[in-house]
Amino acid sequence: MLHILLQYAPNWTHEISWLVIVAFVFAFFVSYGMGANDSCNDWGPAVGAGTVKLWQAYVLSAILNVLGAVLLGYKVVETLRTGIVEFEIFDVYAQYNHSTNHYDTVDHCGNATLVGGWKAPDILPGAPPLECAKYTSIDFMLTQTASLAGVASFMILSSCYKIPVSATHAIVGASVATSFYIRGNVGIKWDEIIKIVVSWFISPVIAGIFAGAFYYVVKYSVLIRKDTFKWALKLCPIFLCFTLVVNLYACLYDGSKYLGLDKLNWWEALLISCAIGIAGWALLAFPLKNWLPGRAKRLYDKETKQIQIRLESGKAPKGHKIKDMREPDVADNIKELPWYKYLWAYVPEDRLTKKVFNTLQIVSSSMLSFTHGANDTGNTISPLLAIWLCYESGYAFGNAETRDDTQLLLAYGSFAMIFGFVTLGHRTIKLLAHEMTVDMSPISGFCIEVGTAFTVLVCVKLGIPISSTHCTVGAVVFVGMAKSTHEGVSFGTFRKICLFWLLCFPISAVIGVLTTIVLQQFL
């Protein structure tokens, strides 16, 4: 157990300013690693399907990640900051000794008024000394800083090997390990941790079920029809309405306090979401009725010309290098099979029909990028926010939701994520787009993103720090199986990803503890 000799006077945090600087550096690299890794979940399917170019994904990700983090990120920040370890174990009480004119550390303050929060009043010049005050000990700042180091190391390493991993997984592992090293088993909320760990295994299954079910809806309503292009145009406005209602309701209900959305009742949020969803349907079904097929045909003609140029130049069509997946076989009478055989039969996706879903995938990718900012930026900022609160006030567990600096820290994490996505994200995008499934199309990508966004946003509203990475990977596998059972899915790649998921918790924990041992040498 760690013991640090320190006088907890009202301005005691000024002595460890260097630790705060180190925490900001580690937090930057955590966000950088998340941008190089987790942000690829948002736009990997869209880039792989050719819906957006890589530079367009960079721009859209930058805008939407920041908005999601600033408007909704505080929910997960609060869960991670106060929901893993009983923060009372890091409380320390300092009582003023009139005979020595110093503060003595005591077990409790009795009936004296406890001060912990934004600014201790006797930090101000000329203020009388407090009789007794409650602070968060230096031990806590040390554990959180070391946790950031463990997460940063694992995230960047995984990104270099282009393996999508969970920052949420890593931050929980590192936080628990460092707290256990300093305080032992005392105060660790094992029941909450078990719930979070269980959610990591359940979330990819839930996201996969939603995404796979939605692909079946598209398969039965569009792909097995004789005129798939016509049916895609008919149903596209309805799919857009559904996407908008689900995502907007999750954003509006119990939403941003800065926009006054937290005051909306559930039915008011649902009514607004339905109104906007219906407006989106009406816009696509009537004023833009001719625009949608016209855009699809322009994209189709452009792609046809590119294919023709490529063939004339003698270049073979791009293929995949993964040996354990292949192009699924197509039955001769694919349009005449009994309905139940379409559950596993591969139905080819018409190129022109896929261009209709191009518009839908842009919307779904944007929604997913927004949810990523809302959920995963909190993974970085929860330890950093606690450190910053402790440095500013001496107490790490004051109310953070209404503080302006909480939003600034979330923006800081968002910008670091953007930098990581732009400089290193292309590697993980390549795996998600080309090495997990043989055919990443706008149709399958749209279903993957809707399933992932729905799962992540629901969990964000509940304050559960689930992993968007796990959700996306699960959705990719389930949609691939819904398209063609097992032929078009690389289970070898999936097993490799699962191995890194299992290593995530222990490696980040070990690095966190080692960093704690190193940092305590400077205190």
Side-chain angles (χ1 to χ4, degrees):
M1 215 176 265
L2 179 64
H3 297 284
I4 299 174
L5 297 177
L6 183 73
Q7 183 187 11
Y8 287 97
N11 60 347
W12 65 271
T13 59
H14 294 176
E15 300 178 26
I16 40 89
S17 299
W18 65 270
L19 186 61
V20 179
I21 296 173
V22 171
F24 267 86
V25 173
F26 286 160
F28 177 87
F29 284 109
V30 171
S31 290
Y32 177 89
M34 288 171 59
N37 198 288
D38 285 18
S39 293
C40 303
N41 305 325
D42 315 339
W43 296 100
V47 173
T51 301
V52 297
K53 298 184 184 299
L54 190 57
W55 70 267
Q56 294 171 326
Y58 291 155
V59 174
L60 291 170
S61 177
I63 297 170
L64 295 165
N65 266 280
V66 172
L67 287 176
V70 171
L71 294 180
L72 290 181
Y74 71 87
K75 285 288 261 185
V76 174
V77 166
E78 284 300 289
T79 299
L80 284 169
R81 189 167 65 97
T82 62
I84 297 175
V85 178
E86 293 284 354
F87 53 82
E88 291 87 356
I89 67 171
F90 292 102
D91 287 348
V92 61
Y93 299 93
Q95 187 167 1
Y96 187 70
N97 190 325
H98 291 273
S99 61
T100 62
N101 294 324
H102 286 286
Y103 282 87
D104 298 330
T105 302
V106 295
D107 292 334
H108 58 84
C109 285
N111 295 324
T113 301
L114 300 181
V115 175
W118 180 217
K119 276 289 186 186
D122 59 348
I123 290 180
L124 301 176
L130 298 171
E131 287 298 318
C132 196
K134 179 174 71 172
Y135 301 109
T136 300
S137 71
I138 182 64
D139 301 4
F140 179 79
M141 296 180 69
L142 191 63
T143 63
Q144 297 304 291
T145 303
S147 297
L148 290 171
V151 179
S153 302
F154 189 80
M155 291 300 296
I156 295 176
L157 177 66
S158 300
S159 300
C160 291
Y161 283 94
K162 61 179 182 180
I163 299 294
V165 294
S166 170
T168 313
H169 199 163
I171 197 66
V172 172
S175 297
V176 170
T178 53
S179 177
F180 189 85
Y181 170 73
I182 287 183
R183 285 288 189 270
N185 192 39
V186 179
I188 298 178
K189 299 180 181 179
W190 292 111
D191 55 339
E192 293 296 325
I193 293 169
I194 290 172
K195 291 179 183 177
I196 293 172
V197 172
V198 169
S199 76
W200 293 333
F201 294 95
I202 293 177
S203 57
V205 176
I206 295 175
I209 291 173
F210 280 126
F214 205 68
Y215 186 83
Y216 277 124
V217 170
V218 176
K219 180 186 263 191
Y220 278 92
S221 63
V222 176
L223 298 181
I224 66 174
R225 304 278 188 171
K226 290 185 178 180
D227 191 346
T228 60
F229 181 64
K230 181 186 75 174
W231 282 99
L233 292 175
K234 284 184 178 181
L235 295 174
C236 185
I238 298 175
F239 292 151
L240 177 65
C241 178
F242 174 79
T243 304
L244 290 175
V245 170
V246 168
N247 285 279
L248 288 173
Y249 177 74
C251 293
L252 293 176
Y253 181 58
D254 193 26
S256 170
K257 292 187 176 183
Y258 299 92
L259 301 178
L261 300 178
D262 59 310
K263 299 177 182 178
L264 294 175
N265 296 321
W266 69 268
W267 62 268
E268 293 174 323
L270 181 61
L271 189 63
I272 295 172
S273 302
C274 290
I276 297 176
I278 293 172
W281 165 82
L283 184 66
L284 210 56
F286 297 105
L288 299 180
K289 182 178 181 180
N290 295 325
W291 172 84
L292 186 61
R295 181 179 186 273
K297 290 175 180 177
R298 287 193 300 272
L299 292 172
Y300 176 83
D301 292 339
K302 182 179 178 180
E303 184 182 72
T304 301
K305 187 179 293 185
Q306 291 173 345
I307 293 173
Q308 185 177 1
I309 292 173
R310 188 174 183 85
L311 291 174
E312 290 175 354
S313 64
K315 295 181 180 179
K318 294 181 179 179
H320 60 84
K321 300 179 181 179
I322 308 302
K323 296 180 180 179
D324 66 331
M325 62 182 181
R326 61 180 178 82
E327 293 287 345
D329 297 325
V330 181
D332 296 332
N333 57 341
I334 189 65
K335 299 291 186 178
E336 301 174 2
L337 295 175
W339 69 269
Y340 59 88
K341 288 192 175 181
Y342 290 114
L343 291 172
W344 61 83
Y346 174 66
V347 179
E349 298 172 354
D350 178 70
R351 276 205 304 123
L352 183 57
T353 303
K354 288 193 286 188
K355 299 308 175 187
V356 178
F357 281 83
N358 182 286
T359 301
L360 288 174
Q361 193 181 19
I362 292 175
V363 175
S364 62
S365 295
S366 299
M367 291 290 185
L368 185 58
S369 189
F370 179 84
T371 65
H372 180 262
N375 184 72
D376 286 9
T377 307
N379 300 328
T380 308
I381 298 308
S382 56
L384 183 61
L385 175 62
I387 294 167
W388 177 250
L389 285 175
C390 191
Y391 176 72
E392 283 288 311
S393 66
Y395 190 67
F397 303 103
N399 185 14
E401 294 183 11
T402 57
R403 293 170 53 93
D404 292 336
D405 49 358
T406 300
Q407 305 305 103
L408 293 175
L409 291 176
L410 286 166
Y412 171 77
S414 297
F415 285 118
M417 285 174 62
I418 293 164
F419 185 56
F421 183 43
V422 171
T423 56
L424 197 58
H426 61 279
R427 293 183 61 79
T428 309
I429 281 181
K430 181 180 178 182
L431 181 136
L432 288 171
H434 303 296
E435 298 181 15
M436 282 197 66
T437 182
V438 73
D439 179 25
M440 183 64 73
S441 68
I443 298 175
S444 57
F446 168 65
C447 297
I448 289 166
E449 289 152 2
V450 169
T452 301
F454 183 79
T455 306
V456 172
L457 275 173
V458 168
C459 292
V460 166
K461 303 315 294 182
L462 297 175
I464 301 173
I466 58 108
S467 167
S468 61
T469 301
H470 289 199
C471 291
T472 300
V473 171
V476 170
V477 172
F478 273 69
V479 168
M481 294 178 67
K483 290 179 71 170
S484 57
T485 59
H486 63 280
E487 296 99 329
V489 179
S490 174
F491 287 98
T493 302
F494 180 61
R495 285 192 294 270
K496 182 171 66 173
I497 292 172
C498 291
L499 175 62
F500 266 73
W501 286 356
L502 294 175
L503 292 175
C504 182
F505 196 106
I507 290 180
S508 58
V510 169
I511 296 175
V513 171
L514 292 176
T515 305
T516 304
I517 295 172
V518 172
L519 289 177
Q520 75 181 79
Q521 304 304 315
F522 297 92
L523 293 173

